[in-house]
Amino acid sequence: MKKWYAVIGDPISHSLSPFMHDHWFEKHGIDASYIPVHVEPKQLEQAFRSMKLLGISGFNITLPHKQAAIPLLDELDDTARIMNAVNTVAAENGRLKGFNTDGDGFVRSLLSYPVDKERALLVIGAGGAARGISFALSRAGFSNITITNRTFRRAQELADETGSKAVVLAEAEANLSEFATIVQTTSVGLTEEALPLSLTHLGSGSVVADIIYNPLETPFLKEAKAKGCLVLNGVGMFVNQGAIAFEKWTGIRPDTEEMIQLITEKLGGNHVNR
């Protein structure tokens, strides 16, 4: 019997997840399809009941449902519980189990670059994405993590939870050259020509990542590249988090390098973006 999978969110028409997963299903000869489903917040509980009734095999969850979905699940894995957010659900025997693959997807992407886990790493932001990434970096063995945010209290709370350090934005800007790796997790630069912090003191040779993947090169990455840094956009994180979900559903680890190339081309760019 043909299996079906989905991604739910509000909005959802922009999602590239159907393109990615349908490509992998076809490549591996799996009789399945993957569809985008527009679900407004008030429809979330009804959507879960309907998907279970219709025999869904798994689905992804994007904004704004990653936290609201938790009470509707039968089980959570440890990562999703710690992060208090779910982006992947597996359905087995009528039960729904939630996972969070965002942080591990980012780390897989970052480790394709020459990063030293013992050198100083700065996370900009303290929202849901920063939370997932900070926990995943810590689990992966990064031992010198600093978190900064416009609201220092939120940075301090996340640092306390992850065993990291927190600094105010001005201090991070002044000491930017000390960080071998910088990870930008906020939405700044998504729709406007803006930076989350000043890059005046950025040192050349650092690895600078931005989790935004559309546009492929945010103002943040553009300036970092001009200063001689290696830059990493969010395509790798997007593809790798999807690959981890695909692996949980099918037991197959798909080709992420090919998909990064395909997604990059679809967004009008050329890989590699270093």
Side-chain angles (χ1 to χ4, degrees), residues 199 202-203 208 219-231:
L199 296 180
L202 178 64
V208 178
F220 185 74
L221 292 186
K222 200 175 295 183
E223 187 164 334
K225 184 190 282 186
K227 288 181 173 289
C229 295
L230 292 176
V231 299

Side-chain angles (χ1 to χ4, degrees), residues 77-92:
D77 90 321
D78 291 340
T79 301
R81 186 177 296 106
I82 290 169
M83 296 179 186
N84 194 36
V86 170
N87 78 322
T88 297
V89 177
E92 286 187 28

Side-chain angles (χ1 to χ4, degrees), residues 112 239-240 254-262 271-272 274:
S112 68
V239 170
N240 278 285
D255 185 341
T256 53
E257 273 303 308
E258 179 199 34
M259 184 54 63
I260 288 170
Q261 177 71 49
L262 290 173
H271 189 58
V272 173
R274 301 183 190 193

Side-chain angles (χ1 to χ4, degrees), residues 42 50 58 81-82 117 163 171 175 192 199 229 250 258:
K42 64 184 178 183
S50 298
R81 186 177 296 106
I82 290 169
K117 293 182 180 181
E171 185 177 341
N175 298 302
E192 76 278 17
L199 296 180
C229 295
T250 67
E258 179 199 34

Side-chain angles (χ1 to χ4, degrees), residues 100-118:
N100 193 307
T101 68
D102 283 332
D104 289 337
F106 173 77
V107 171
R108 280 192 186 182
S109 176
L110 181 64
L111 290 178
S112 68
Y113 275 50
V115 292
D116 185 336
K117 293 182 180 181
E118 295 183 2

